[in-house]
Amino acid sequence: MSGISTRAAAAVAVALAAGITLTLSGPASAVSTATTAPLVRGLYQSAYSERNDALWVTVSVGRPPTGTSSLLKVDPDTLQVEATYAPPVTDTTTGAVEAVYGIAVDDEHNTVWTTNTRNNSVAVYSQRTGAHLATLPGVAHAREIVVDERHDTVWASGFGDGTLVAFDSRTFEEKRRVTVEGAGPAGLAVDERTGKVYAADLSNDRIIEVSPGSDTPRFVPAGDGPISVSLSRDGRTAYTADQTAGTVSVVDLRKGVVEKSVATGAGALSVATDGRSGDVVVVNRSAANVTVVDPRKGVVEETVATGANPNHVEVADGSAYVVDKSGAGAAGEDQVTRIRLGH
């Protein structure tokens, strides 16, 4: 695997801990810059709102009864927290709250959707005020969530029972439920042109494809331990972050085959596609870095060091936002790293 040298990666890690910006060069022509900032302890995922130019971040700490959880509104330029919103309390005796984990934004309706994994539900918040609008139960171990604005649909993955659940983004009513026995759906991606939703099936090394109007899913092979999935700009190719193998797999959805797998790093956990370049960005949790891959050539363009235990990547407007569980902030905070992607 190509990438920056070990010495360079160490230098980047030191610089990030200090909260400064560095320029990183890879073996190809790409050049990226990375900036980091501490937020709070317990970061999980993030989602960018173009409508509000805001990065929304979920926060949860500890096991049930979880008493520390919040929804953060972060300025994507300064990486400073602009607002903090608390989920509703579910048990006044213990102080447990409806802790938030996965996240997606619906700019059409100006809402934020979260998965409440410990509570087997999803929730809806206002982007304008941060107010909690609804809790929608019945999604077993709800893991991730994705919005299809064109079809007014929000999909959630129920890792606990192999279910994909669709909600109406206007009324919040459940409108579809597809269960695949023995499946472990984790990451989600949606093709808004076709309305098809894709789930990384961690339990069976495959992608689950669900089409509009059909409750019979199609199964497409993936890499070893697919936990996250994203799509190419034309929707013909899927990319899976393969946690077990430490790879990103390039999957031809029409042919139903894995075209190639590219080594990225130990514990590949989250993947996103850069809509501008077509490159794929992969978070490698165990390796503590982010890999930028050219999926057409099947080569690593850059490897960028992050804080320990990076957990999720969101790509928007040429930047990748990575939240980690490093506890590397001055007061033990986890961090967000913004990588300005070079092309």
Side-chain angles (χ1 to χ4, degrees), residues 27 65 69 118 147 160 196 217 229 259-260 285 288-289 301:
S69 183
R118 307 291 187 183
V147 175
K196 293 181 180 179
V229 61
E259 291 186 322
K260 58 179 75 77
R285 182 179 171 96
N289 59 31
E301 293 186 322

Side-chain angles (χ1 to χ4, degrees), residues 250-276:
V250 180
V251 183
D252 186 317
L253 291 172
R254 291 180 298 175
K255 296 179 181 178
V257 297
V258 176
E259 291 186 322
K260 58 179 75 77
S261 291
V262 182
T264 58
L269 182 61
S270 179
V271 62
T273 304
D274 178 10
R276 295 183 176 183

Side-chain angles (χ1 to χ4, degrees), residues 40-66:
V40 298
R41 181 169 169 254
L43 305 182
Y44 266 87
Q45 292 191 1
S46 71
Y48 176 75
S49 166
E50 182 177 3
R51 174 173 178 167
N52 298 287
D53 190 27
L55 187 70
W56 292 90
V57 183
T58 52
V59 177
S60 290
V61 178
R63 297 184 177 277
T66 305

Side-chain angles (χ1 to χ4, degrees), residues 14-184:
V14 171
L16 290 180
I20 63 176
T21 301
L22 281 181
T23 299
L24 306 167
S25 60
S29 59
V31 176
S32 298
T33 57
T35 305
T36 195
L39 293 182
V40 298
R41 181 169 169 254
L43 305 182
Y44 266 87
Q45 292 191 1
S46 71
Y48 176 75
S49 166
E50 182 177 3
R51 174 173 178 167
N52 298 287
D53 190 27
L55 187 70
W56 292 90
V57 183
T58 52
V59 177
S60 290
V61 178
R63 297 184 177 277
T66 305
T68 302
S69 183
S70 59
L71 184 62
L72 306 181
K73 184 180 181 181
V74 176
D75 185 311
D77 297 315
T78 66
L79 303 183
Q80 299 299 304
V81 177
E82 296 183 323
T84 301
Y85 302 106
V89 174
T90 58
D91 189 330
T92 56
T93 301
T94 64
V97 299
E98 189 180 87
V100 294
Y101 295 89
I103 188 169
V105 299
D106 178 5
D107 275 349
E108 181 186 4
H109 300 100
N110 211 19
T111 53
V112 178
W113 289 68
T114 67
T115 59
N116 314 315
T117 307
R118 307 291 187 183
N119 297 91
N120 300 315
S121 65
V122 302
V124 192
Y125 294 81
S126 166
Q127 285 200 68
R128 186 177 65 84
T129 66
H132 174 267
L133 302 178
T135 295
L136 312 175
V139 186
H141 196 90
R143 193 181 190 281
E144 294 203 17
I145 198 157
V146 67
V147 175
D148 180 349
E149 291 188 359
R150 178 174 292 189
H151 298 95
D152 293 314
T153 301
V154 179
W155 286 93
S157 58
F159 184 79
D161 62 0
T163 299
L164 301 178
V165 185
F167 298 93
D168 189 307
S169 58
R170 299 160 300 184
T171 66
F172 308 156
E173 297 289 331
E174 180 180 323
K175 60 182 187 180
R176 288 193 68 189
R177 179 175 290 259
V178 179
T179 300
V180 180
E181 295 296 333

